[in-house]
Amino acid sequence: MSGYSLLAGVRILEVAQLAPSSVGGHLADLGADVVKVETGTGEGVRHNGARAVGSPDGPGFMHLRWNRGKRSVALDLRSEEGRQAFLRLAATADAVVEGTRHGHLERLGLGWDALREVRPQTVLCEVSGTGAEGPYRDLATGGMWFDAYAGMRTVDTDHPSPPGVMGGSAEVPQAMYAVGAYGAMAILAAVLRARETGVGARLQVSSIDVATAWMPDRIDAALNADRTYARPCWTPDGRLPDWPLLDAYATKDGGAIVLGSHHPKFWRALCAAVGRPDLLDIDLSTVDEGSEERALQVWRELDALFRTRTKQEWTDLFLAHDVAGGPVNTVEELLDDPHFRARATTYEKGGYRFAASPVRVVGEEFAPELAPELGQHTEEVLGS
């Protein structure tokens, strides 16, 4: 499959729609043989997303990412012939991914009990939006709502304005994209145990649980509200008194750079590098009535300072003087960033360039096959 070789010999059988397809996508990137079972016109991610390849009707980039390196088998799981073919495949697979509404395979007679009958050590990973129990189990859901459910998404109904009160494209739906990594991690752990002990596992990963667990400072603090105390270094408005040292600033060329120097050694390094030791005399550690004004004073000084050099000049200064921070990029600017271009961040396939896996395996090249056409490998897989 031209992904990595780490999971060579591991087979995954996948029935997934949209974001849950990323579970098998992560495993395919690492070298697993992921057989994607599709019905009808294929799973929705094939033509989903804001941008397509070649034409507005072309394949979506989410499909090209999440389904790359997989093999596609077209089956009608509502027919007896299709169900029997699925079970034959399941008998050869280390794990099965169900990435649809909860209970989809069960309703087709292909759930946990049927899978264990054909392979006692099987691993079933049920990936859903809302989980297997609770009053929202059958709620039709989507990416942005997962974050909103867990209090992670900005929703301001007191100040409505077009195009709406909920953060849109500027706020990445975190749980929707993160659920694939959690599902893949769980599958690998369960398959490892199954190969050692012969004991299978039924796993359940939901996007709302990912969103809930994402930020411990929020959920765990709220769960222990009667024993939770705000650290004394925080100001009443919920910011550190040294917040100007952890902010983004405009640069001379219209760019921006992040200063991440709230640690004293980095702050001292910056002040020394620009000849401003006087800034070190301003107290940014004490919380009192003057905290806000002192912070604003430093912010104004830094705002004026960073406008005197270009983004690249500041980046070079940070590197030369060990100052924490770095350049801010748009997606287009990232493609020209010298650090991005210097690393094996992309690969080419079929005349297109794609972002590579964030996992690097030293000594191996990452260049998985393009996402398959619907049913492209049906005869190949079923014939074997």
Side-chain angles (χ1 to χ4, degrees):
M1 299 300 171
S2 299
Y4 291 129
S5 64
L6 300 179
L7 294 181
V10 174
R11 172 175 281 189
I12 307 296
L13 186 60
E14 176 188 275
V15 182
Q17 294 275 343
L18 304 175
S21 295
S22 63
V23 176
H26 288 301
L27 298 172
D29 281 355
L30 296 175
D33 175 20
V34 180
V35 177
K36 185 178 188 67
V37 174
E38 301 185 76
T39 60
T41 59
E43 73 121 327
V45 80
R46 285 184 169 273
H47 300 285
N48 207 288
R51 293 174 175 81
V53 175
S55 71
D57 298 324
F61 281 98
M62 288 195 294
H63 162 60
L64 295 176
R65 171 71 63 82
W66 290 340
N67 289 327
R68 65 188 178 191
K70 299 179 183 178
R71 296 194 287 172
S72 173
V73 170
L75 287 178
D76 179 5
L77 297 182
R78 299 185 184 278
S79 71
E80 183 60 26
E81 181 182 5
R83 285 193 293 269
Q84 290 304 316
F86 182 85
L87 289 174
R88 288 198 301 274
L89 288 175
T92 70
D94 292 277
V96 176
V97 178
E98 178 194 71
T100 56
R101 280 199 183 186
H102 175 73
H104 175 67
L105 290 181
E106 191 69 41
R107 289 188 290 273
L108 293 171
L110 300 171
W112 174 237
D113 290 337
L115 294 173
R116 282 198 302 172
E117 187 172 333
V118 297
R119 186 179 176 90
Q121 72 273 33
T122 193
V123 171
L124 171 63
C125 184
E126 300 166 349
V127 187
S128 65
T130 56
E133 63 280 318
Y136 297 165
R137 185 184 70 175
D138 297 321
L139 187 66
T141 61
M144 292 193 299
W145 176 76
F146 304 140
D147 298 347
Y149 165 85
M152 289 205 308
R153 181 168 283 270
T154 301
V155 177
D156 187 1
T157 55
D158 292 331
H159 302 87
S161 63
V165 301
M166 183 162 66
S169 60
E171 289 194 56
V172 176
Q174 297 178 65
M176 183 184 89
Y177 291 110
V179 72
Y182 279 93
M185 176 175 62
I187 287 172
L188 291 177
V191 168
L192 184 63
R193 187 185 72 171
R195 290 193 168 191
E196 290 290 330
T197 67
V199 177
R202 185 180 184 182
L203 312 170
Q204 295 175 342
V205 181
S206 74
S207 292
I208 60 168
D209 289 345
V210 170
T212 298
W214 195 245
M215 298 185 68
D217 266 7
R218 292 185 178 183
I219 184 64
D220 291 349
L223 288 170
N224 300 278
D226 59 333
R227 303 177 64 182
T228 298
Y229 300 91
R231 296 187 186 276
C233 62
W234 292 74
T235 59
D237 64 358
R239 293 188 293 185
L240 288 166
D242 63 354
W243 64 264
L245 312 189
L246 187 62
D247 205 352
Y249 292 91
T251 56
K252 182 180 180 179
D253 55 346
I257 194 156
V258 167
L259 176 64
S261 297
H262 56 292
H263 192 284
K265 74 170 185 177
F266 296 127
W267 179 223
R268 290 193 298 268
L270 176 65
C271 292
V274 298
R276 291 296 305 272
D278 58 298
L279 294 178
L280 295 173
D281 296 331
I282 301 175
D283 181 11
L284 293 178
S285 60
T286 304
V287 177
D288 56 27
E289 291 183 358
S291 298
E292 184 175 353
E293 183 53 41
R294 292 194 299 273
L296 286 173
Q297 178 186 353
V298 172
W299 183 88
R300 294 187 190 101
E301 294 284 353
L302 291 176
D303 180 59
L305 178 66
F306 279 106
R307 293 178 188 274
T308 64
R309 307 189 194 201
T310 66
K311 180 170 70 173
Q312 188 58 55
E313 288 172 338
W314 282 116
T315 302
D316 293 341
L317 183 144
F318 281 17
L319 285 167
H321 296 275
D322 195 27
V323 179
V328 176
N329 291 318
T330 64
V331 173
E332 291 73 23
E333 289 170 337
L334 173 66
L335 303 186
D336 288 326
D337 187 290
H339 191 72
F340 180 87
R341 288 188 281 107
R343 307 177 70 242
T345 316
T346 65
Y347 69 98
E348 294 189 16
K349 184 68 67 169
Y352 295 98
R353 290 177 64 204
F354 301 102
S357 169
V359 176
R360 308 294 174 91
V361 180
V362 177
E364 293 192 20
E365 180 183 357
F366 182 81
E369 297 299 323
L370 289 173
E373 297 294 330
L374 174 61
Q376 178 179 336
H377 304 94
T378 301
E379 293 185 7
E380 173 187 310
V381 173
L382 296 183
S384 63

